[in-house]
Amino acid sequence: MALLSLILPVFALIMIGLVARHGKLLEISTFRGLMDIVFFLSMPSLLFSSIVQGPAADLVGVASVYFVGCLTVFALGIVFGKLLKFPLARSAMLGLNASYGNTVLMGVPIIVAALGQEALPPLLAIVAFHSAILLPLAGVLVDMGHSGPRRPLDILTSTVTSTLKNPVIMSILIAFAWRALALPYPAPLKELLHLLGGSAVPMALICLGGSLPAPNAKGLGAETAIAAVLKLVVLPALVWSIGRWAELPTLPLTVAILTAGMPTGANAFLLARRSESLLEISAATVLVTTTLSLLTLYLLLSWLT
């Protein structure tokens, strides 16, 4: 019952956004405005404040374990795509759909509610590199599939540019630097960030629901099923195995496993927008994994907490 009281409010907020969007209670432009507030103000404020005030953690260890698992599953997705005789772009999107999780909009509220504020440093170590590694990697492979190989300098430039434009990633990196330099954290700044960050979690979940696509039978099939199994079952199991082998401490390992069990992130289908077929499959994967994660996250939390 305690776990249900943790998970159900999260999914209720997602459903509020979903119903508001598809029931025409709020326009899509409204959700875009709300998401901008969350993305540029509320969530960076929450994450910065949490890191500056949070306890120390083995950040390199947890990030390494997580991304060995992620990149392995990404490669498995490409292998499955090739076995299904998909072109490179579609295989890369399968790999991304299977490995790119909703680490911020769902990861932060669920993991903090389950494990407490001390879980934030290892979680945010993962978040800091999550989009910076997986999205450029998939983007390059999708571009190669559509237009041929790109020069290494172009790849590096686009990766750095996208990172600098991402306020969530930048807030995390700045906060880690702030903490490392032992800079003061004055009370007025602390209160300002507290006020801004207070709305981050509920608004992020409502906006997530508003961004989910309507069900589309065209995107459902073997490809979506493979991505869902890789994302919700194989990746958490792989991260658990690697973490145990690396003797990762209990809290960082639990954070890494729960993060691995998050559904496919909405940015995956945003990257797929250049192709209608890729968009339909990626959007279906986001919707299916988000729905199934109500059960899989419950099982993971029952096992780990």
Side-chain angles (χ1 to χ4, degrees), residues 162-302:
S162 64
T163 300
L164 292 176
K165 289 182 178 179
N166 188 317
V168 169
I169 294 176
M170 288 308 299
S171 68
I172 294 170
L173 297 179
I174 292 171
F176 280 133
W178 192 290
R179 181 177 179 131
L181 295 171
L183 297 176
Y185 189 39
L189 176 61
K190 180 179 179 180
E191 182 61 21
L192 172 63
L193 295 182
H194 173 73
L195 292 173
L196 285 171
S199 64
V201 169
M203 290 308 302
L205 292 169
I206 291 171
C207 289
L208 170 61
S211 70
L212 288 176
N216 187 339
K218 292 181 181 179
L220 300 175
E223 191 171 348
T224 299
I226 290 170
V229 171
L230 288 174
K231 184 69 195 72
L232 299 178
V233 180
V234 176
L235 182 55
L238 190 57
V239 169
W240 172 79
S241 300
I242 297 168
R244 289 292 299 272
W245 174 80
E247 298 183 346
L248 201 64
T250 300
L251 178 62
L253 178 58
T254 303
V255 169
I257 295 168
L258 286 175
T259 306
M262 293 298 147
T264 302
N267 279 348
F269 82 81
L270 296 178
L271 180 63
R273 281 186 171 176
R274 66 164 58 217
S275 167
E276 187 64 28
S277 61
L278 294 182
L279 176 60
E280 289 172 349
I281 294 166
S282 194
T285 305
V286 171
L287 186 61
V288 167
T289 54
T290 300
T291 303
L292 292 177
S293 67
L294 176 60
L295 172 62
T296 57
L297 284 172
Y298 176 81
L299 294 175
L300 276 177
L301 286 165
S302 298

Side-chain angles (χ1 to χ4, degrees), residues 12-55:
L13 286 168
I14 295 172
M15 284 302 301
I16 289 171
L18 186 67
V19 171
R21 159 80 186 281
H22 296 291
K24 308 296 184 184
L25 300 177
L26 292 175
E27 298 293 332
I28 185 61
S29 58
T30 303
F31 279 104
R32 287 179 183 142
L34 290 173
M35 183 57 85
D36 283 345
I37 293 173
V38 171
F39 191 64
F40 287 97
L41 291 174
S42 298
M43 193 59 73
S45 298
L46 173 66
L47 300 182
F48 179 91
S49 179
S50 299
I51 293 171
V52 170
Q53 300 179 92

